[in-house]
Amino acid sequence: MGVYEEKKETCGTICLKYVLFTFNFLFWLAGGVVMAVGVWTLVEKSDYISLLSSKTYAASAYILVLAGAIVMVTGVLGCCATFKEQRRLLRVYFVLLLCIFLLEILAGVLAYIYYQQLSEELKQNLRETMTQKYQQSSHEQITRAVDKLQQEFKCCGSNSSSDWTESVWIRSREANSRMVPDSCCKTPTELCGRRDHPSNIYKVEGGCITKLEKFILDHLKIIGAVGVGIACVQ
């Protein structure tokens, strides 16, 4: 009878170990997803981040990367703690779980807060950023971002192509009589920006600001959903 109870307890312990191992493996995969979303936001969308005056969008992505990295380390630690049955490792494991949970909630909350503020920020800053910093020697990243924005979203100027009349660069000799940057053209070629007719450049209602706003809002939804969603699962 005693032998049977010992065997039964041993089988239960083994089953529990495998359940915990499976949980930690899934936990590790979830960490990979969280980190991937953060890295994707920073790498693929880094140009557009430079057009934003607030660092909240980038901060949310960095937090997801950090949380994802800790999740992956924690998953491995959880597996080791489970099979070696070390209480100290298990305590560290649960402390890390708490930190991860808080980080992911923080990323989700930041994304939600910035979601509410984005429209006003773009209205106040995007036009000035484009007209004052485009093609300026100390702002190469912004120049690349503006060119990419106008070509990718098929738009010209913050609110309209007429915004470029106030551009420091357009008014300078370096512009070579361009009325808008060449990236405004439907078929970009050298000096094509000298002609601002609708047949030559993008004349989109609302300009680039509405396109960029929609783009960032969509990505904030993803960041918020991933952060809060996976935290709830954990």
Side-chain angles (χ1 to χ4, degrees), residues 188-199:
T189 55
E190 186 69 23
L191 299 177
C192 68
R194 286 178 171 178
R195 183 168 168 265
D196 66 349
H197 192 271
S199 63

Side-chain angles (χ1 to χ4, degrees), residues 111-177:
Y112 176 77
I113 292 172
Y114 193 53
Y115 187 94
Q116 310 299 316
Q117 299 173 345
L118 178 64
S119 179
E120 193 60 34
E121 180 191 319
L122 288 178
K123 286 176 185 175
Q124 291 177 359
N125 300 302
L126 184 60
R127 182 176 178 176
E128 183 181 349
T129 298
M130 293 174 78
T131 57
Q132 301 300 314
K133 298 180 179 179
Y134 183 78
Q135 288 291 6
Q136 301 305 300
S137 58
S138 57
H139 298 289
E140 290 86 358
Q141 188 176 8
I142 286 177
T143 299
R144 286 195 306 271
V146 170
D147 286 336
K148 182 179 178 181
L149 174 69
Q150 296 190 139
Q151 276 297 296
E152 190 169 316
F153 293 127
K154 298 179 172 26
C155 58
C156 184
S158 175
N159 298 295
S160 69
S161 58
S162 62
D163 290 343
W164 287 111
T165 59
E166 300 176 18
S167 168
V168 173
W169 178 70
I170 289 294
R171 291 178 173 181
S172 69
R173 291 183 180 180
E174 286 77 12
N176 288 320
S177 301

Side-chain angles (χ1 to χ4, degrees), residues 27-55:
F27 192 58
W28 183 83
L29 288 178
V33 171
V34 170
M35 189 162 66
V37 170
V39 170
W40 168 69
T41 301
L42 293 171
V43 174
E44 290 293 319
K45 316 303 170 188
S46 59
D47 287 333
Y48 296 145
I49 290 174
S50 68
L51 296 175
L52 304 172
S53 59
S54 171
K55 302 301 179 187

Side-chain angles (χ1 to χ4, degrees), residues 1-21:
M1 188 73 174
V3 174
Y4 173 75
E5 287 180 1
E6 185 178 344
K7 185 180 287 188
K8 185 177 178 181
E9 185 179 339
T10 304
C11 288
T13 302
I14 291 171
C15 288
L16 183 59
K17 282 184 178 180
Y18 279 105
V19 168
L20 286 173
F21 177 81

